Amino acid sequence: EDKVVQSPLSLVVHEGDTVTLNCSYEVTNFRSLLWYKQEKKAPTFLFMLTSSGIEKKSGRLSSILDKKELFSILNITATQTGDSAVYLCAVRTGTASKLTFGTGTRLQVTL
Amino acid sequence: GAVVSQHPSWVICKSGTSVKIECRSLDFQATTMFWYRQFPKQSLMLMATSNEGSKATYEQGVEKDKFLINHASLTLSTLTVTSAHPEDSSFYICSARFLGQEDNEQYFGPGTRLTVT
C-alpha cells in the first residue's frame, strides 16, 4: 500500500520565521511528488518535483526532492500570516496519475 | 488557466436521499477526472478515477453501488451519493487531468460540502 507521511502535523511560528515541512513516501511506481496549499477550499498547486536534487522555487517558497532517501522538503522563508494553511504533499504513481496524499501539515503564522 | 468547477458548492440533505455532485472542466477536455473525499482535519482520500466513456475505477473500500460515477463527456463527471447517511457527510473534491498534457498536476475543483442530517 502506498504511503505518504508528513511532519510535523502542525506548526505555529511567528511572522518572519523560516519553516521547513517534511514529506516522506513509500510507494510503487513513483512518477512525481507534488505540494499543495489548502486554505478553506480545494488545494492549490505549488510545485511538482520529478528529479532529485533540483530545487524548485517560487518567491519565498522552495522545494526539493531526494529520490534516494524518498523524501521532499518544502521551505517557506520570511513567513507571513497569509501563509497560514494546510500544506499537502502528494505522490503521483502509475500511468493513471493516481495521487496519494499525506495527512498534511497545518501551519499557523502569528504576528 | 485551466478551471474546474463543481456544483453545488454545498448541500444539506436528509438521510436516505440521494445527492448528485457535478464536476466540470471549463476550458479544456478532461480525459480523466478524480473524485476525492476529505473528512475534517484529514487529508484527501481518492475515491475513484473516472475516464470518459468507461466505467470508473474505485479505490479499495469505496462502495461503487453507493457512490455512482458517470463520466459521459470530456467536460463533465458526476458523483451521486445514493441513500446518503450522516457518515457520508464530508467535503467532496474532484480534479481533472486534461487531454494533451503529458505529465502534469491535477486541477482541483472548489469542492462540495455535503451534510447529511
Side-chain angles (χ1 to χ4, degrees):
Chain A
E1 188 186 330
D2 294 339
K3 203 188 294 186
V4 179
V5 178
Q6 289 184 248
S7 64
L9 289 180
S10 66
L11 193 53
V12 180
V13 300
H14 292 298
E15 205 172 39
D17 288 351
T18 292
V19 297
T20 299
L21 310 183
N22 304 292
C23 175
S24 63
Y25 60 92
E26 213 175 295
V27 302
T28 51
N29 200 4
F30 174 90
R31 297 289 297 274
S32 54
L33 185 144
L34 299 96
W35 284 96
Y36 291 87
K37 178 182 181 183
Q38 185 177 29
E39 297 173 87
K40 289 190 178 169
K41 288 198 170 178
T44 53
F45 172 77
L46 296 175
F47 297 111
M48 182 172 72
L49 303 154
T50 52
S51 302
S52 264
I54 299 172
E55 187 185 51
K56 291 237 175 157
K57 204 168 163 62
S58 175
R60 295 177 294 102
L61 278 66
S62 63
S63 184
I64 198 159
L65 173 68
D66 185 328
K67 286 167 77 173
K68 187 179 170 192
E69 300 298 329
L70 308 182
F71 78 91
S72 172
I73 58 171
L74 174 69
N75 273 324
I76 309 175
T77 58
T79 51
Q80 300 170 357
T81 53
D83 296 327
S84 297
V86 175
Y87 290 84
L88 296 169
C89 168
V91 174
R92 191 161 81 87
T93 58
T95 54
S97 297
K98 176 182 168 180
L99 283 181
T100 300
F101 281 84
T103 48
T105 293
R106 185 173 295 275
L107 172 67
Q108 187 180 349
V109 182
T110 62
L111 290 169
Chain B
V3 176
V4 177
S5 72
Q6 277 185 244
H7 177 80
S9 54
W10 60 269
V11 57
I12 301 172
C13 71
K14 289 190 176 174
S15 192
T17 60
S18 295
V19 174
K20 183 188 279 190
I21 302 169
E22 291 185 351
C23 176
R24 289 183 188 273
S25 58
L26 297 182
D27 298 322
F28 60 94
Q29 294 181 322
T31 49
T32 306
M33 287 184 171
F34 303 86
W35 286 96
Y36 295 86
R37 180 167 52 180
Q38 186 177 33
F39 292 108
K41 298 197 176 176
Q42 293 187 27
S43 193
L44 280 75
M45 297 295 294
L46 180 66
M47 298 174 67
T49 303
S50 163
N51 290 298
E52 185 263 339
S54 62
K55 287 186 182 176
T57 303
Y58 289 81
E59 294 300 302
Q60 198 171 7
V62 178
E63 298 173 59
K64 62 180 180 182
D65 295 330
K66 181 170 180 63
F67 298 99
L68 302 178
I69 291 173
N70 186 302
H71 192 161
S73 77
L74 284 170
T75 58
L76 174 65
S77 176
T78 59
L79 168 69
T80 302
V81 183
T82 62
S83 187
H85 288 101
E87 57 266 29
D88 298 323
S89 298
S90 187
F91 192 50
Y92 291 85
I93 306 175
C94 73
S95 70
R97 182 182 174 200
F98 60 89
L99 191 67
Q101 196 77 2
E102 221 176 88
D103 195 20
N104 62 307
E105 78 279 11
Q106 295 170 16
Y107 294 95
F108 284 88
T112 296
R113 188 162 300 284
L114 169 64
T115 304
V116 185
T117 61

